[in-house]
Amino acid sequence: MASLPDFFLINPTAWNFIVWDRFNVPRNYTFAPTKLQKHEGIDLRATDDHNNPVTVFAAQRGIVDKVGYSAGGYGNYVRIVHKWGDQTYVTWYGHLSSTTALAGQFVLAGQKIGIAGTTGFSTGVHLHLTLQHIGHGLSNYVVADVVDPEPYFRLDGGPEFEEAWFVNDITIPDGTKLTPGETFVKTWQIRNTGTTTWTNQYTLGHAGDEKMGAADAISVITDQVRPGQLTNVSVNFIAPTTPGKHVTTWMMCNAANDPF
């Protein structure tokens, strides 16, 4: 479970997953006449049985890159960047009546980002979803690097996975000059970006380069850290006696001691 699964999406609407209009069907994009006149995403039903707009969720965890408005295109929209291993995916959620996400915000898969609507170049309430696979998608669509989102959906909610993102150096930023033999405490701020809750059985383990006098593994979780939450982790080090640049690499480890 420690390894990252293939990229996947979950249902981004508070309703059954129903595709009203599929990828690549013909379009008449009068606002973009030089682009391919093909649907660059999919349209999903986003109304309940009483025809009321439903809540829209992030289809995968990531960072909200932009919250904007385009009168000739997506109307009110939210764009989320999903770093996934060494790949980058981007989702766009268009025609929203209102948005609740903020630019720069980390969101979990399934977290509310807005309410469906029919703003912009739209007829009737629905959710338009575009998926980009940066550097690997199709060209000359109204959005670059697009791929068909439909095969990426996991309607079972997808697999659990464990993941940690570095957020910030709290103490001893990279490049800090230290006296040889000096003891110091390096503290990192990290975020639980996976789907599991970290417990006190999770550790921070030495994964490579120099240990700098530290232990192989350190218990760093004193309380539960739920998905999306931030926590600080610290290691006691001794500065090497040899002058120069020194590097140490650490990774979180789960209760089975699998690094992630």
Side-chain angles (χ1 to χ4, degrees):
M1 186 166 57
S3 61
L4 202 61
D6 291 338
F7 182 76
F8 66 95
L9 302 171
I10 66 169
N11 183 5
T13 70
W15 199 248
N16 295 329
F17 183 82
I18 300 172
V19 180
W20 274 354
D21 219 352
R22 289 191 151 81
F23 183 77
N24 253 355
V25 297
R27 276 291 188 269
N28 181 23
Y29 286 142
T30 55
F31 62 90
T34 63
K35 298 295 183 179
L36 284 174
Q37 300 299 294
K38 292 183 177 182
H39 200 203
E40 77 285 5
I42 60 175
D43 291 342
L44 300 175
R45 174 176 174 174
T47 54
D48 62 19
D49 282 339
H50 302 287
N51 211 36
N52 297 311
V54 300
T55 300
V56 173
F57 307 116
Q60 188 47 265
R61 63 99 183 101
I63 300 291
V64 176
D65 172 57
K66 188 173 183 181
V67 178
Y69 177 78
S70 171
Y74 289 170
N76 294 318
Y77 68 92
V78 174
R79 187 171 68 192
I80 303 175
V81 176
H82 315 276
K83 297 289 186 181
W84 203 264
D86 61 353
Q87 304 292 305
T88 301
Y89 295 84
V90 181
T91 49
W92 300 63
Y93 308 79
H95 311 311
L96 305 177
S97 62
S98 62
T99 60
T100 57
L102 300 174
Q105 177 185 4
F106 173 85
V107 290
L108 290 167
Q111 184 169 332
K112 180 181 177 180
I113 59 172
I115 301 292
T118 185
T119 56
F121 191 79
S122 168
T123 303
V125 176
H126 68 282
L127 173 66
H128 172 91
L129 180 88
T130 293
L131 175 64
Q132 296 172 278
H133 186 184
I134 304 302
H136 299 274
L138 301 169
S139 60
N140 206 37
Y141 287 71
V142 293
V143 174
D145 279 331
V146 293
V147 293
D148 184 359
E150 206 168 339
Y152 290 86
F153 278 98
R154 293 286 301 267
L155 301 185
D156 61 358
E160 288 192 333
F161 61 92
E162 291 176 315
E163 185 184 51
W165 280 4
F166 166 81
V167 177
N168 191 31
D169 283 318
I170 301 298
T171 64
I172 316 297
D174 290 351
T176 299
K177 292 183 179 181
L178 298 164
T179 302
E182 176 184 353
T183 60
F184 65 98
V185 179
K186 173 79 171 183
T187 301
W188 297 275
Q189 184 179 61
I190 60 175
R191 187 187 298 275
N192 180 352
T193 53
T195 59
T196 63
T197 296
W198 301 347
T199 68
N200 57 12
Q201 293 180 299
Y202 282 58
T203 59
L204 190 66
H206 179 245
D209 302 307
E210 302 175 63
K211 285 176 61 178
M212 300 189 190
D216 290 332
I218 296 147
S219 296
V220 291
I221 305 300
T222 57
D223 199 0
Q224 290 187 340
V225 181
R226 294 178 176 82
Q229 289 185 329
L230 295 167
T231 191
N232 294 341
V233 296
S234 299
V235 181
N236 296 319
F237 290 111
I238 302 172
T241 56
T242 305
K245 181 180 178 180
H246 295 268
V247 177
T248 185
T249 303
W250 295 72
M251 295 180 70
M252 288 295 298
C253 300
N254 62 20
N257 205 34
D258 297 321
F260 63 93

